[in-house]
């Protein structure tokens, strides 16, 4: 049992204002594995005070110095990489091998990448004006559980590099990696108040941060529901609000595509992290003429997605993060059946041989129509909907017929054709023919998938204020 009984505020581990705690449950064993403080509004206020007090000096520190701190943080985390991966698997349920590469190596690469990104701070000249980039101020970072450390560093690393100070409120389901990050912050001796950690619920700590007049910006990743609430609260003091929200992303397979490659990549993308991925391709759009072949190939390929204990097995899928999430996904599967979609494989029952753990079988529905609930709402579980279309026009219409716009994929043997379709899709990132992961390309949503961008230069720019200093005309 891991007991974390303090919050990290103003460079110290301090006792929370209240006595309440949050329990962390291992979703594979259903056992409580840790306890962390359930912080409250006074804790959030203390953290904001510390961040505000630290802001002027941090913002004024030379850029190279802030970058050097990021390198120290990355090195400190690297030294504890195996512990991190193990912790994230215990709190989240992702298979350990994947936790090593995706949940640990990737966030470390992102910190390193920002530490080298020094050329985005150049002044710009517009006639007689000089345009300078300055840090926005105190940033509250509110993060979800599905890629817990990744989502933290996508905010904290660029915010710190930009010269902002930070209060982090991690997800109540997966706070342990954030505590390890705070350990490293303390170990390397980052100046007091630059990074603060307050664990607690969204309603209590998250809302206190969103309301607080001394918070200049909220960088939020999570559900559209909570993003809306944070925006409403932040509006009272005209905060900058950057939102990375949900998705219902389409993989659009054109009639000349390599069908096998498209199906394989879509299944990989839809089922990774047991479907708990914001940009998961959960709608597979195929021409009517290819529908039967798609169904046969997808159900065959789905057999490779083994569900098992995330530790000590060759599992591709571990459990979902919580009993609540498992039930939510099961309810969607039931709804799909009730609304007339054809259950091709998987289903709501506990996978064979797994007596405990919040598992859901990889599930594929055929005959899905665009108005069905499973085609419209974010399920956040390993559930794929296959939808057929008549022609390219209809395909683009169905792909865009969603409240979301986070990501999409297009498949075609003709790259130019694929790019032309990609440009018609209302989404922040479109992968053409399995486009490679890119940790410095902008990532973010159109429509209700959010606003603002993360990753690379675009992610850094979110944390800048832009000032024009005007001189007399010469
Ligand atoms: P969630 O919205 O329930 O929680 C996210 C964070 O917001 C948590 O820290 C939570 O405590 C906090 N929160 C909840 N209610 C709040 C409130 N009223 N005020 C302030 N903070 C509040 O989401 P979740 O279940 O943790 O994560 C899943 C969601 O996140 C999915 O919808 C997924 O698509 C989305 N997500 C988006 C991205 C992206 O980059 N677009 C990445 C990962 C996850």
């Amino acid at each position: 049992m891991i007991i974390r009984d303090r919050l990290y505020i103003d460079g110290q581990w301090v006792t929370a204002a209240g006595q309440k705690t949050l329990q962390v449950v291992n979703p594979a064993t259903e056992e409580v594995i840790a306890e962390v403080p359930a912080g409250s509004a006074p804790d959030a206020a203390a953290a904001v005070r510390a961040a505000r007090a630290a802001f002027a000096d941090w913002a004024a520190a030379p850029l190279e110095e802030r970058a050097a701190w990021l390198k120290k943080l990355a090195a400190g985390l690297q030294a504890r990489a195996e512990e991190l991966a193990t912790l994230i698997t215990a709190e989240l349920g992702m298979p350990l091998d994947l936790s090593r590469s995706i949940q640990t190596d990737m966030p470390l690469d992102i910190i390193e990448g920002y530490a080298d990104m020094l050329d985005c701070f150049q002044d710009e000249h517009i006639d007689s004006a000089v345009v300078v980039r300055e840090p926005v101020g105190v940033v509250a970072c509110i993060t979800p559980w599905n890629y817990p450390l990744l989502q933290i560093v996508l905010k904290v690393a660029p915010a710190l590099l930009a010269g902002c100070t930070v209060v982090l409120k991690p997800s109540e389901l997966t706070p342990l990696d954030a505590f390890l990050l705070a350990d490293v912050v303390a170990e390397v001796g980052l100046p007091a108040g630059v990074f603060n950690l307050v664990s607690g619920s969204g309603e209590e700590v998250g809302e206190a941060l969103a309301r607080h007049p001394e918070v200049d910006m909220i960088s939020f990743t999570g559900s559209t529901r909570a993003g809306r609430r944070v925006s409403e609260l932040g509006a009272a003091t005209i905060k900058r609000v950057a939102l990375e929200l949900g998705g219902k992303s389409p993989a659009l397979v054109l009639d000349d595509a390599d069908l096998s490659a498209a199906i394989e990549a879509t299944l990989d993308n839809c089922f990774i992290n047991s479907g708990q991925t914001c940009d998961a391709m959960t709608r597979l759009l195929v021409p009517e003429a290819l529908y039967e072949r798609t169904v046969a190939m997808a159900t065959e390929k789905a057999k490779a997605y083994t569900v098992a204990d995330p530790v000590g097995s060759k599992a591709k899928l571990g459990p979902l993060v919580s009993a609540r999430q498992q039930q939510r996904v099961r309810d969607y599967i039931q709804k799909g059946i009730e609304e007339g979609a054809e259950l091709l494989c998987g289903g709501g029952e506990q996978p064979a041989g797994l007596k405990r753990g919040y598992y859901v079988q990889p599930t594929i529905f055929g005959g899905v129509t665009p108005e069905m609930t499973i085609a419209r709402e974010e399920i956040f579980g390993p559930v794929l909907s296959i939808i057929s279309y008549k022609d390219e026009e209809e395909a683009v219409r169905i792909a865009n017929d969603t409240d979301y716009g986070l990501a999409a994929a297009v498949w075609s043997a003709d790259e130019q054709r694929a790019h032309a379709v990609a440009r018609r899709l209302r989404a922040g990132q479109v992968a053409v023919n399995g486009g490679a992961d890119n940790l410095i390309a902008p990532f973010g949503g159109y429509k209700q998938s959010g606003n603002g961008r993360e990753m690379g230069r675009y992610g850094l720019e979110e944390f800048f204020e832009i000032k024009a200093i005007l001189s007399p005309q010469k």
Side-chain angles (χ1 to χ4, degrees), residues 64-257:
E64 292 70 20
E65 206 176 284
R66 295 198 301 267
W69 282 113
L70 286 188
K71 288 206 189 261
K72 284 187 200 167
L73 287 179
L77 289 168
Q78 186 62 57
R80 297 174 72 172
E82 187 58 20
E83 186 188 348
L84 252 179
T86 307
L87 262 188
I88 294 175
T89 285
E91 62 187 357
L92 171 67
M94 188 184 236
L96 187 55
D97 276 352
L98 293 173
S99 279
R100 288 189 182 110
S101 55
I102 299 175
Q103 306 278 9
T104 307
D105 294 349
M106 210 186 267
L108 294 186
D109 286 348
I110 284 169
I111 303 177
E112 295 271 8
Y114 276 116
D116 289 332
M117 203 173 289
L118 306 185
D119 56 352
C120 299
F121 290 76
Q122 307 295 335
D123 293 350
E124 206 183 312
H125 294 269
I126 302 179
D127 286 341
S128 57
V130 54
V131 178
V132 298
R133 284 160 175 77
E134 296 183 347
V136 67
V138 172
V139 179
C141 302
I142 303 178
T143 55
W145 43 262
N146 53 335
Y147 292 88
L149 186 64
L150 180 68
Q151 282 140 350
I152 289 171
V153 308
L154 283 172
K155 302 177 183 316
V156 171
L160 294 184
L161 185 72
C164 299
T165 53
V166 159
V167 179
L168 168 65
K169 193 215 82 69
S171 165
E172 43 276 70
L173 296 178
T174 57
L176 301 179
D177 57 283
F179 277 84
L180 196 149
L181 171 64
D183 283 339
V184 171
V185 165
E187 243 166 63
V188 303
L190 193 70
V194 169
F195 170 92
N196 305 274
L197 168 69
V198 182
S199 52
S201 73
E203 287 67 23
E204 181 92 28
V205 178
E207 295 205 6
L209 291 170
R211 273 198 186 91
H212 202 294
E214 287 287 335
V215 170
D216 298 291
M217 172 176 174
I218 305 165
S219 178
F220 175 89
T221 300
S223 61
T224 300
R225 170 198 57 79
R228 195 174 289 125
R229 177 72 181 141
V230 160
S231 302
E232 284 165 4
L233 294 173
T237 48
I238 320 292
K239 289 186 190 359
R240 181 178 304 179
V241 181
L243 301 173
E244 297 287 346
L245 308 175
K248 191 73 196 172
S249 300
L252 200 171
V253 180
L254 296 171
D255 51 13
D256 59 352

Side-chain angles (χ1 to χ4, degrees), residues 322-387:
S322 65
R324 187 161 158 238
Q325 191 64 17
Q326 181 193 41
Q327 190 53 50
R328 199 178 115 97
V329 175
R330 285 176 166 171
D331 290 347
Y332 273 115
I333 293 173
Q334 187 53 33
K335 191 101 181 160
I337 295 167
E338 282 166 17
E339 290 184 3
E342 186 188 352
L343 182 65
L344 299 171
C345 64
E349 297 78 30
Q350 185 79 357
L354 291 165
K355 291 214 165 37
R356 58 178 192 171
Y358 309 130
Y359 296 93
V360 173
Q361 303 174 50
T363 296
I364 304 180
F365 278 105
V368 178
T369 54
E371 68 286 354
M372 287 181 184
T373 305
I374 56 169
R376 305 208 73 80
E377 295 186 12
E378 184 182 51
I379 297 174
F380 232 52
V383 182
L384 178 69
S385 293
I386 305 178
I387 302 172

